[in-house]
Amino acid sequence: MDSEDDRHSTLAWFGKGMRGIFSLPAFILMLSFVGFCSLTAQAGIPVQQVVFMVGMVWALPAKVILVSSMMSGAGLATAFLAVSLSSVRLMPMVAALIPELRGSRTPTWLLLFLSHFVAITAWVFAMEKVPQVPRDRRVAFFAGFGITLVAANMLLVAVVYHFVADFPPIVAGCLFFLTPVYFLASIWHSARHPVVYIALLFGLAGGPLFYWLLPEFDILLAGLGGGTLAWLVERLWRGRKEGAHDLA
């Protein structure tokens, strides 16, 4: 009886995670995927490949980089490197989220599987909602949200692909741009340390500069440069604070 109750409870939390598809982050992401779908249709990528891409290369910026590489005629190795480097940014998110999900009996293989669904939308949603979920149900809750989010966007792309091919580029661009705007606002609002604000400001300032200098690596260099400069500023600030404290 206890085992059956435990299974029903797990399914109930999985269902609660699924209902997260009706949240604002998920809605904005789906609008962004409409813009991405327009980009792929104009690039002449078959719908089957686009749906497969959504499921396998989950982070939206990585997919945009992949499509841009294909459109520019870049080689396979170059596209692979660009997509891989753009996805390195997700590693700290996984490292921050997995300890919040892990229970006393959570198998490692399950956490590795769920890490595939960690992108900014899932991460922002989970970091906000997971603390209110009992620890032994957090895996089920996140699995319900992550799997449903990916499946819903795969279905969305399959349905709207043929309807968005004639979208004006400005419309597709605006839809795609909703996601980074929302992410920036969410990260700024949820930041707990000044270094996060500094990194965001440096990254935003460095984006146009690196796009002009090295457009193939602008996002990577802006993020790496902004984060490094923010870390240095924080180190200097802490050093001066500790030095002033010692003198006092």
Side-chain angles (χ1 to χ4, degrees):
M1 181 64 69
D2 291 341
S3 177
E4 185 176 350
D5 291 341
D6 183 72
R7 184 166 56 253
H8 285 316
S9 180
T10 299
L11 290 174
W13 281 105
F14 187 90
K16 290 181 180 180
M18 292 179 65
R19 290 198 289 274
I21 195 67
F22 300 108
S23 63
L24 180 62
F27 178 70
I28 291 177
L29 181 64
M30 293 174 78
L31 285 178
S32 299
F33 264 99
V34 174
F36 169 73
C37 193
S38 175
L39 172 67
T40 58
Q42 293 175 16
I45 302 175
V47 62
Q48 297 88 346
Q49 295 183 20
V50 178
V51 173
F52 179 79
M53 190 186 305
V54 172
M56 294 297 104
V57 187
W58 171 229
L60 187 53
K63 285 191 283 289
V64 173
I65 291 173
L66 178 58
V67 172
S68 300
S69 299
M70 295 167 64
M71 293 174 66
S72 64
L76 180 61
T78 302
F80 174 81
L81 179 61
V83 171
S84 298
L85 290 175
S86 75
S87 299
V88 169
R89 66 195 169 83
L90 301 176
M91 184 171 65
M93 297 182 189
V94 174
L97 179 60
I98 290 302
E100 298 294 326
L101 299 179
R102 187 193 303 273
S104 58
R105 296 180 296 174
T106 307
T108 301
W109 68 264
L110 181 55
L111 294 173
L112 291 173
F113 170 71
L114 291 178
S115 67
H116 172 71
F117 302 98
V118 177
I120 295 182
T121 299
W123 186 80
V124 169
F125 179 86
M127 293 299 287
E128 179 183 354
K129 302 294 184 182
V130 156
Q132 284 77 51
V133 178
R135 179 163 288 275
D136 59 344
R137 306 301 178 203
R138 292 179 181 181
V139 166
F141 178 80
F142 180 75
F145 178 70
I147 294 172
T148 303
L149 188 65
V150 174
N153 281 287
M154 291 175 70
L155 178 63
L156 175 69
V157 166
V159 171
V160 306
Y161 179 89
H162 297 290
F163 296 99
V164 300
D166 297 326
F167 270 15
I170 187 64
V171 174
C174 289
L175 288 172
F176 176 75
F177 197 62
L178 284 173
T179 296
V181 168
Y182 173 77
F183 292 156
L184 284 172
S186 298
I187 294 173
W188 185 276
H189 176 72
S190 61
R192 298 290 185 271
H193 303 286
V195 67
V196 178
Y197 300 117
I198 298 172
L200 282 173
L201 292 174
F202 279 142
L204 288 171
L209 174 64
F210 287 117
Y211 179 78
W212 179 61
L213 295 174
L214 291 167
E216 299 89 351
F217 303 101
D218 54 345
I219 296 176
L220 173 66
L221 293 174
L224 183 62
T228 302
L229 288 173
W231 177 77
L232 290 173
V233 169
E234 185 188 33
R235 287 294 299 271
L236 290 172
W237 178 74
R238 287 190 177 184
R240 291 184 177 182
K241 186 177 180 181
E242 291 173 358
H245 179 73
D246 293 339
L247 290 175

